[in-house]
């Protein structure tokens, strides 16, 4: 079967990615059921409207500027990770999109509706899991989640609530009061509340901060299942491995500015580095003349050599090994490592300081 996923977004510093066209996509189940195009596909290219469009959004508090004219577009059905140190502006940006904070300038649309003039329509499409846990401690788990669904005008759906609580390992606690739950369980309830009204977009603001490894793994599995069902997910996190594990694209913020937006794998290829470590049979006191001009470092008192190079470098490691052999230097072990997304993040944020 053909791949219906939009091609990876090109690198784009400081601004979002425009997705003007998309490949043929499945028609709705309703149209298929009605017998329109029984093959289930619309042939030919069709316009691809981003589900979230942020244009020139800024926010200031007195003389302090929290956001500097952010431009970003998020494609329907992607997992987008927003990374940045404390105070970078991630939560402010998310709060604006969700309608909790008014933008000082600029425009945000959600699925074509303006967040200010079409507030009700946009809010129904969004689920938010904030950093802070805010729950009625004397309510039960099931009533809390059901009440959240009702707030959005959704009819009662016991089957959906049960499925949601089971997915989050809360079903056995459905009649327990919030005050009786552990911190990790309360975090699960916050996630269930955000999903109770079946939103098209889910914002997860530091969702696994302070939770155990088991919940973090459960969260990753839930996020993948939601994406398979067409939910668009925007994740902010201090745990860079979460973005590395799950995200399609990443945006990096610092000081209220969006430094870079890039497809994750492309970012790691372009900005990542490899490190070649050669352990020698006999230590060297100096590099052989054959390696003059090469950025090779002597380490461990001459017992090993290290060479760091860009991921997209085609030559280098093999030539170094060859030249050492020609110079009579014997290698007893070779090790290669690659940059993680966390190392790339630290380098980018440090360079923007």
């Amino acid at each position: 079967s053909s791949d219906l996923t939009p091609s990876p977004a090109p690198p784009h510093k400081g601004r979002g990615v425009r997705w003007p066209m998309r490949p043929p996509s499945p028609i709705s189940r309703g149209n298929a059921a009605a017998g329109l195009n029984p093959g289930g596909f619309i042939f030919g290219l069709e316009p691809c409207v981003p589900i979230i469009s942020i244009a020139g959004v800024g926010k200031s508090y007195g003389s302090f500027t929290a956001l500097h004219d952010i431009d970003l577009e998020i494609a329907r059905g992607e997992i987008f990770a927003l990374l940045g140190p404390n105070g970078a502006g991630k939560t402010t940006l998310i709060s604006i999109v969700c309608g909790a904070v008014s933008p000082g300038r600029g425009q945000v649309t959600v699925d074509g509706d303006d967040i200010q003039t079409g507030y009700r329509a946009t809010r129904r499409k969004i689920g938010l899991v904030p950093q802070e846990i805010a729950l009625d401690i004397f309510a039960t788990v099931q009533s809390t989640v059901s009440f959240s669904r009702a707030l959005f005008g959704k009819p009662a759906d016991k089957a959906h609530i049960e499925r949601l609580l089971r997915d989050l390992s809360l079903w056995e606690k459905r009649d327990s009061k919030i005050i009786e739950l552990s911190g990790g369980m309360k975090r699960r309830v916050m996630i269930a509340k955000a999903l109770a009204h079946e939103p098209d977009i889910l914002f997860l603001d530091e969702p696994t901060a302070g939770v155990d490894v088991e919940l973090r793994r459960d969260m990753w599995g839930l996020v993948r299942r939601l994406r398979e069902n067409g939910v668009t997910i925007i994740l902010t996190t201090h745990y860079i491995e979460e973005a590395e594990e799950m995200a399609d694209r990443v945006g990096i913020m610092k000081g209220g500015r969006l430094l870079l937006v890039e497809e994750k794998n492309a970012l790691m290829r372009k900005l990542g580095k490899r490190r070649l470590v050669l352990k020698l049979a006999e230590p060297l006191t100096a590099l052989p003349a054959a390696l003059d001009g090469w950025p090779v470092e002597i380490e461990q008192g001459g017992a090993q050599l290290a060479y760091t190079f860009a991921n997209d470098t085609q030559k280098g490691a093999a030539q170094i090994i060859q030249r050492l052999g020609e110079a009579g230097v014997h290698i007893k072990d070779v090790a290669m490592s690659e940059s993680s997304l966390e190392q790339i993040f630290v380098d980018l944020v440090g360079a923007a300081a």
Side-chain angles (χ1 to χ4, degrees):
S1 61
S2 60
D3 182 10
L4 301 178
T5 305
S7 58
H12 208 45
K13 286 194 175 183
R15 297 182 66 86
V17 174
R18 305 285 174 181
W19 299 60
M21 304 297 284
R22 67 182 174 196
S25 60
I27 63 174
S28 69
R29 291 192 182 102
N31 285 342
L36 302 177
N37 188 5
F41 294 92
I42 297 172
F43 295 97
L45 294 175
E46 56 182 295
C48 180
V49 179
I51 196 166
I52 296 176
S53 179
I54 300 169
V57 168
K59 182 66 177 178
S60 297
Y61 297 93
S63 60
F64 173 71
T65 301
L67 291 178
H68 296 266
D69 298 334
I70 302 295
D71 294 277
L72 176 65
E73 289 186 349
I74 296 181
R76 187 182 303 274
E78 77 169 317
I79 299 176
F80 185 87
L82 196 57
L83 309 178
N86 288 331
K90 307 185 299 296
T91 298
T92 301
L93 182 59
I94 283 179
S95 298
I96 288 173
V97 177
C98 293
V101 173
S102 298
R105 56 190 175 275
Q107 183 184 38
V108 179
T109 59
V110 175
D111 205 13
D113 292 312
D114 185 277
I115 61 165
Q116 293 181 296
T117 60
Y119 174 80
R120 289 184 182 277
T122 60
R123 190 65 187 89
R124 287 192 194 101
K125 296 171 184 176
I126 293 173
L128 170 64
V129 182
Q131 291 185 41
E132 299 81 12
I133 294 176
L135 297 167
D136 179 352
I137 61 174
F138 297 110
T140 66
V141 170
Q142 190 164 13
S143 65
T144 296
V145 178
S146 298
F147 181 69
S148 183
R149 179 179 176 86
L151 285 176
F152 288 89
K154 289 276 190 174
D157 188 338
K158 292 183 179 179
H160 171 66
I161 298 300
E162 179 177 345
R163 184 166 54 249
L164 190 55
L165 295 181
R166 287 189 184 278
D167 280 347
L168 288 163
S169 301
L170 288 169
W171 183 244
E172 301 301 322
K173 299 284 187 179
R174 63 188 180 278
D175 296 322
S176 299
K177 292 183 178 180
I178 301 298
I179 196 172
E180 299 168 356
L181 303 181
S182 66
M185 284 293 179
K186 290 175 183 175
R187 178 69 64 182
R188 291 172 193 251
V189 175
M190 291 292 292
I191 297 165
K193 278 186 60 181
L195 293 171
H197 64 289
E198 301 171 79
D200 297 323
I201 303 164
L202 179 64
F203 283 91
L204 299 169
D205 193 8
E206 302 287 353
T208 59
V211 302
D212 57 38
V213 174
E214 181 183 3
L215 175 56
R216 194 172 303 163
R217 291 289 179 183
D218 287 348
M219 270 292 306
W220 293 359
L222 177 64
V223 165
R224 291 191 186 96
R225 291 195 299 274
L226 289 170
R227 200 264 289 273
E228 289 170 2
N229 291 327
V231 178
T232 303
I233 296 160
I234 297 90
L235 168 76
T236 74
T237 180
H238 285 108
Y239 298 103
I240 310 299
E241 68 269 20
E242 286 187 341
E244 189 168 1
E245 175 79 17
M246 293 188 297
D248 301 309
R249 287 193 301 153
V250 296
I252 296 178
M253 294 187 69
K254 183 178 182 182
R257 290 183 168 85
L258 189 58
L259 302 180
L260 178 143
V261 176
E262 178 64 283
E263 192 271 329
K264 179 192 66 181
N265 293 329
L267 177 66
M268 296 184 73
R269 283 196 306 271
K270 294 172 184 176
L271 298 184
K273 295 178 180 179
R274 295 185 182 184
R275 177 177 165 84
L276 173 70
V277 175
L278 304 172
K279 295 185 178 180
L280 308 178
E282 297 180 3
L284 294 176
T285 56
L287 286 176
L291 293 182
D292 285 348
W294 286 80
V296 177
E297 299 177 354
I298 298 178
E299 298 179 344
Q300 302 292 323
Q304 71 180 34
L305 303 178
Y307 171 55
T308 303
F309 58 100
N311 270 339
D312 57 1
T313 300
Q314 299 299 317
K315 296 181 180 180
Q319 290 177 317
I320 288 175
I321 293 173
Q322 180 181 352
R323 293 189 180 199
L324 286 172
E326 293 171 351
V329 177
H330 298 292
I331 299 169
K332 67 177 183 179
D333 195 13
V334 177
M336 181 81 76
S337 61
E338 292 188 75
S339 299
S340 64
L341 183 60
E342 182 169 5
Q343 289 170 314
I344 296 172
F345 167 74
V346 170
D347 290 344
L348 281 171
V349 170

